[in-house]
Amino acid sequence: MDSYINLDELHHAAAEHTHDEEGNKMFGFIVFLLSESVIFLSFFAGYAIYKTTTPNWLPVGVSGLEVKEPAINTVILVASSFVIYLAERALQRHDLVKFRLFLLTTMAMGTYFLVGQAIEWNGLDFGFTTGVFGGTFYLLTGFHGLHVFTGILLQSIILVRSFIPGNYDTGHFGVNATSLFWHFVDVIWIILFILIYVWQ
Amino acid sequence: MTNVPIEGILLPNEKHNHESPTSWKEYFSFSTDHKVIGIQYLVTSFFFFLIGGIFAMVMRGELMTPESDLVDRTVYNGMFTMHGTVMLFLWTFPSLVGFANYLVPLMIGARDMAFPRLNAVAFWMVPVVGIIMMGSFFVPGGPAQAGWWSYPPVSLQNPTGNLINGQVLWLLAVAISGVSSIMGAVNFVTTIVKMRAPGMGFFKMPLFVWAVFSAQIIQLFGLPALTAGAVMLLLDLTAGTAFFDPAKGGNPVMFEHYFWFYSHPAVYVIILPIFGIFSEIFPVYSRKPLFGYKVVAVSSILIAVVSGIVWVHHMYVSGTPSWMRLIFMLTTMFVSVPTGIKVFAWVATIWGGKLRLNTPMLFALGGLIMFVFAGITGIMLSSVPVDVHVNNTYFVVGHFHYVLYGTVTMGLYAAIYHWFPKMTGRMYSESWGKIHFWLAFIGTNLNFLPMHPLGLQGMLRRVASYAPEYQFWNIIASLGGFLLGMSTLPFIFNMVISWMQGEKAPANPWRAIGLEWMVSSPPPVENFEETPIIISEPYGYGKSEPLTANLSE
């Protein structure tokens, strides 16, 4: 136990102890993302174990996955992480026009990724119920795709809100959280890409 | 600044308030006050506890005779599945979340939880979970019957061919309950990290808060694994995927990993807050500081961490290779180290204390005794040779009922009595409380002790009929079970009557230390008129140090 207690310091702290709501929200959101990453981790671990222990991993007639288009998709998605960062920076400078422009670019890149994935799914010669391989493939890419879709949804919300006067004058929790979510989705995709497409 | 004497505390801001919930209607409304939500959790979960108890009574009735003669086997299977699920997901989890909701903001000097609306939404999912789960009894094909762990391929059977069947509803309910728990965990962790009153460093937090913090971290990092497994099982059942279905090339043992990676640590999600409750109660009723506060605090985190690497001890007989069994045997045994630290600390706290054997203390002591017993059988079960012998027998059932009834439910009762004056502003009846305690304590031992010899003799769990030589112990267990069921009656009577017309409670009837006892009973809506400042360690019973300072002084 401390032998001296500086009461002045504590009084000062108590005066400062207001509700830091923005800080709480951001902290809570990070905690949520950590928890979310464990779901992905569970699926990843499952995929790795299934891949290494299942006899006849690839279904009959399936030789493997095409890597080229998904690789292009990966580049687009990772690049979009930088674009949303630029949007965030623009907002900090109160440059709403650039903020919206970069945000729209991010959304376009995200949509490109989703459409690319839809085209890939459409061309595959195995389905969700084709053994464990099909199941895990569609589960992982589908669950990630759902996150990309959610990210685009969040981006459209902050875009619309940027047109409400005075909305982004003080706190930017919505923007920071959306941006963080997008980086998270990107990092998950990089692991997923290596796990499914590179490690065949 | 005024120093506040520890003995006979009458704290500065004790006053009557008219802002706290006065009408019962408030408890049926969508409130964002953490105290209302806490009580909503407690009452709702107790309702489900009674339902789970009725299932148990039916099972014990069935097991009075060796033949399967009381209920249909489908009903029996549904009963043990639902008994387990209801008691875990609708009684122990939500009731402890209820206490955490009520107490954590008060104990750390905050006005509310970090996200009050999220908190309310998380609560209102609990009745939804209950309705969906109970709905499983009313769909074609009957309720979920695969036991609370729902192992495939049994859980994948769907003889009716319907898309909506008992098992699907069960999985949906578990998934929703998981979402609610994750929301709660985010809220608790944020509240505890970000909203402590000035001066309250981590090592000045009450141990209940430490326990809730550790437990919620397990929720955050364990629960997603169960959710992942449940989603995959749901897809197998409804969409025809092959994750766990051996007939389609899937691997059912994978489900066991997903399931136990969370569901073993889940035991600590339940028991850690109970340890926290013990740590709050023993010092008050012994009039002594808690022995080894810091070590006890750290041991909670240690339990949370180690809990993540022990899950395979549920799978010793699932084809797990020997080297892996050895690792998990050692890690499991290691859990007893931080747990033992806590037990020693409590005993040392009680030792030589000036004991007041009020109802909360009786329940806490009873719970501690039964926990020690459960700990011993737990170490036995962690050992591979013993586990292989008694796996899937009543020995295991006896062990975890000593944990879940003997320790957790007894601990919950201790907490209910201890904080009843704070929550309701009324005193409970001590004599009815003691009747309740003795019925429950005798009932618990009579019910669950005979399960150990039964298991050692080889009686399997989850069976409606058994060989006649097992009947003697089964009759004893059933009689104990009925006694246990009856013990809830004086409790309900006491709670209802005392809440309506009990003696008015002062702010601090137990002369306890802790911020929650510094505000009126029940506390005002905003908890603290002025943010308290914490300058001393908790549990300074018998020390003459200042407790807290108010800004105004």
Side-chain angles (χ1 to χ4, degrees):
Chain A
M1 166 141 202
D2 307 334
S3 9
Y4 298 100
I5 297 156
N6 187 340
L7 265 186
D8 288 342
E9 222 167 71
L10 286 176
H11 279 253
H12 183 67
E16 298 270 293
H17 188 74
T18 49
H19 284 267
D20 175 18
E21 286 198 12
E22 294 290 303
N24 288 355
K25 279 188 206 161
M26 204 57 203
F27 183 86
F29 191 71
I30 292 169
V31 171
F32 167 74
L33 283 187
L34 282 175
S35 185
E36 186 85 340
S37 60
V38 182
I39 295 198
F40 277 107
L41 217 61
S42 308
F43 286 142
F44 290 158
Y47 182 87
I49 295 169
Y50 274 127
K51 182 173 165 23
T52 45
T53 60
T54 309
N56 312 319
W57 171 239
L58 291 178
V60 185
V62 177
S63 52
L65 291 160
E66 188 61 55
V67 188
K68 205 180 114 204
E69 273 86 21
I72 297 170
N73 251 347
T74 307
V75 173
I76 299 281
L77 195 66
V78 172
S80 74
S81 233
F82 291 99
V83 180
I84 202 168
Y85 171 73
L86 292 177
E88 232 180 331
R89 287 284 299 273
L91 191 66
Q92 278 164 8
R93 294 192 311 267
H94 301 282
D95 188 345
L96 273 179
V97 177
K98 273 202 177 141
F99 168 70
R100 289 173 193 140
L101 202 69
F102 283 130
L103 202 58
L104 271 172
T105 315
T106 313
M107 289 165 73
M109 291 164 99
T111 311
Y112 177 92
F113 175 87
L114 276 187
V115 172
Q117 196 169 50
I119 293 169
E120 187 201 357
W121 277 18
N122 197 36
L124 292 172
D125 43 8
F126 60 91
F128 197 28
T129 55
T130 317
V132 186
F133 174 72
T136 46
F137 172 80
Y138 283 101
L139 184 69
L140 275 172
T141 52
F143 192 56
H144 177 266
L146 198 68
H147 279 73
V148 175
F149 181 74
T150 310
I152 296 173
L153 213 61
L154 292 175
Q155 286 155 10
S156 59
I157 292 170
I158 57 170
L159 182 68
V160 170
R161 281 181 50 165
S162 77
F163 287 98
I164 305 171
N167 209 327
Y168 284 147
D169 282 353
T170 47
H172 308 303
F173 165 70
V175 176
N176 293 339
T178 304
S179 166
L180 187 67
F181 184 78
W182 198 249
H183 300 320
F184 168 77
V185 168
D186 267 8
V187 172
I188 293 290
W189 175 260
I190 294 170
I191 303 170
L192 202 156
F193 179 74
I194 294 169
L195 197 67
I196 295 187
Y197 293 94
V198 180
W199 182 40
Q200 284 198 43
Chain B
M1 195 207 103
T2 326
N3 284 2
V4 187
I6 300 302
E7 289 291 327
I9 307 167
L10 258 184
L11 289 147
N13 47 356
E14 182 181 352
K15 62 172 175 28
H16 288 284
N17 67 82
H18 304 284
E19 287 175 291
S20 54
T22 44
S23 162
W24 57 271
K25 281 178 194 150
E26 180 129 4
Y27 293 106
F28 285 94
S29 61
F30 187 88
S31 171
T32 53
D33 179 359
H34 72 99
K35 297 182 288 297
V36 175
I37 294 174
I39 292 176
Q40 284 176 331
Y41 263 112
L42 284 169
V43 174
T44 311
S45 59
F46 189 77
F47 170 75
F48 286 114
F49 175 61
L50 294 178
I51 292 183
I54 290 168
F55 294 157
M57 295 298 105
V58 174
M59 282 189 281
R60 283 320 319 172
E62 172 66 74
L63 294 172
M64 286 284 277
T65 56
E67 300 82 31
S68 168
D69 46 11
L70 186 65
V71 286
D72 174 41
R73 282 185 190 214
T74 311
V75 175
Y76 187 83
N77 291 347
M79 293 267 160
F80 71 66
T81 300
M82 288 301 171
H83 169 73
T85 321
V86 165
M87 289 308 198
L88 287 165
F89 290 100
L90 293 167
W91 162 238
T92 50
F93 280 113
S95 56
L96 285 163
V97 169
F99 271 113
N101 248 303
Y102 196 95
L103 294 171
V104 165
L106 281 168
M107 284 179 160
I108 62 172
R111 288 191 177 172
D112 204 326
M113 297 283 286
F115 311 114
R117 267 180 299 176
L118 187 73
N119 201 18
V121 173
F123 161 71
W124 283 102
M125 289 170 110
V126 174
V128 174
V129 169
I131 290 166
I132 295 177
M133 207 168 262
M134 293 307 130
S136 141
F137 277 100
F138 304 102
V139 290
Q145 296 175 55
W148 87 281
W149 60 24
S150 261
Y151 279 0
V154 175
S155 54
L156 287 176
Q157 289 170 2
N158 182 8
T160 57
N162 289 317
L163 191 61
I164 299 297
N165 58 59
Q167 192 65 39
V168 166
L169 287 180
W170 185 93
L171 280 165
L172 272 177
V174 169
I176 298 173
S177 151
V179 172
S180 157
S181 297
I182 299 237
M183 285 180 178
V186 168
N187 213 343
F188 281 117
V189 171
T190 308
T191 306
I192 294 170
V193 172
K194 301 279 285 182
M195 294 179 72
R196 282 169 289 129
M200 184 178 275
F202 266 92
F203 282 109
K204 283 187 179 137
M205 283 196 319
L207 285 167
F208 181 73
V209 180
W210 266 102
V212 169
F213 184 63
S214 316
Q216 296 301 327
I217 286 187
I218 299 179
Q219 291 285 56
L220 281 173
F221 295 106
L223 202 46
L226 176 72
T227 313
V231 166
M232 289 160 88
L233 188 62
L234 202 58
L235 289 171
D236 272 2
L237 205 54
T238 55
T241 50
F243 300 116
F244 307 128
D245 192 347
K248 293 179 187 159
N251 183 354
V253 178
M254 280 296 286
F255 179 81
E256 294 187 32
H257 282 290
Y258 280 124
F259 182 83
W260 288 117
F261 182 77
Y262 170 65
S263 295
H264 185 79
V267 173
Y268 305 106
V269 174
I270 302 166
I271 202 116
L272 280 170
I274 295 293
F275 291 165
I277 287 166
F278 285 171
S279 304
E280 297 299 324
I281 286 180
F282 288 134
V284 182
Y285 295 92
S286 311
R287 312 308 305 164
K288 274 181 68 192
L290 189 103
F291 185 86
Y293 162 77
K294 279 189 186 174
V295 188
V296 176
V298 171
S299 70
S300 296
I301 292 287
L302 200 57
I303 290 175
V305 172
V306 180
S307 75
I309 46 170
V310 299
W311 79 96
V312 175
H313 69 225
H314 291 270
M315 300 165 61
Y316 284 157
V317 295
S318 304
T320 307
S322 295
W323 62 269
M324 210 194 258
R325 297 203 291 202
L326 183 68
I327 292 171
F328 282 94
M329 177 167 99
L330 293 174
T331 53
T332 304
M333 285 179 173
F334 184 73
V335 178
S336 60
V337 176
T339 316
I341 288 172
K342 283 182 193 290
V343 174
F344 277 113
W346 295 324
V347 174
T349 305
I350 301 164
W351 196 268
K354 206 169 137 192
L355 300 196
R356 286 185 292 177
L357 293 176
N358 295 13
T359 312
M361 183 63 166
L362 283 177
F363 270 104
L365 283 173
L368 175 59
I369 291 166
M370 289 191 270
F371 177 67
V372 170
F373 185 78
I376 293 167
T377 54
I379 293 177
M380 289 166 74
L381 283 171
S382 70
S383 150
V384 176
V386 178
D387 184 82
V388 169
H389 177 62
V390 296
N391 184 64
N392 237 358
T393 70
Y394 261 88
F395 190 87
V396 180
V397 181
H399 159 74
F400 69 69
H401 277 90
Y402 263 84
V403 178
L404 289 168
Y405 202 107
T407 316
V408 175
T409 302
M410 295 292 258
L412 275 164
Y413 278 134
I416 292 171
Y417 284 108
H418 182 64
W419 280 289
F420 183 82
K422 180 51 62 188
M423 291 178 167
T424 63
R426 306 270 186 177
M427 298 304 288
Y428 62 85
S429 150
E430 199 68 70
S431 35
W432 280 109
K434 282 180 179 153
I435 293 173
H436 172 213
F437 168 74
W438 286 110
L439 286 177
F441 187 74
I442 296 167
T444 307
N445 287 295
L446 219 52
N447 189 352
F448 305 123
L449 199 60
M451 291 182 175
H452 296 85
L454 272 179
L456 289 173
Q457 287 160 21
M459 178 166 163
L460 292 178
R461 65 199 281 201
R462 299 185 170 134
V463 290
S465 58
Y466 51 82
E469 63 260 34
Y470 299 134
Q471 194 178 11
F472 171 73
W473 286 120
N474 267 307
I475 289 178
I476 306 275
S478 290
L479 293 177
F482 299 141
L483 190 66
L484 204 51
M486 255 162 42
S487 76
T488 46
L489 298 177
F491 171 72
I492 296 171
F493 176 76
N494 194 356
M495 291 297 112
V496 172
I497 298 294
S498 302
W499 200 336
M500 280 159 53
Q501 49 193 9
E503 198 187 311
K504 287 250 187 251
N508 190 0
W510 315 125
R511 294 189 295 127
I513 298 173
L515 286 176
E516 80 269 31
W517 301 105
M518 299 178 65
V519 290
S520 59
S521 305
V525 172
E526 292 270 284
N527 293 350
F528 300 94
E529 203 140 273
E530 287 172 68
T531 309
I533 301 180
I534 314 303
I535 56 177
S536 69
E537 289 185 7
Y539 312 108
Y541 293 92
K543 289 181 184 170
S544 53
E545 277 169 8
L547 186 67
T548 61
N550 267 53
L551 268 179
S552 52
E553 287 163 354

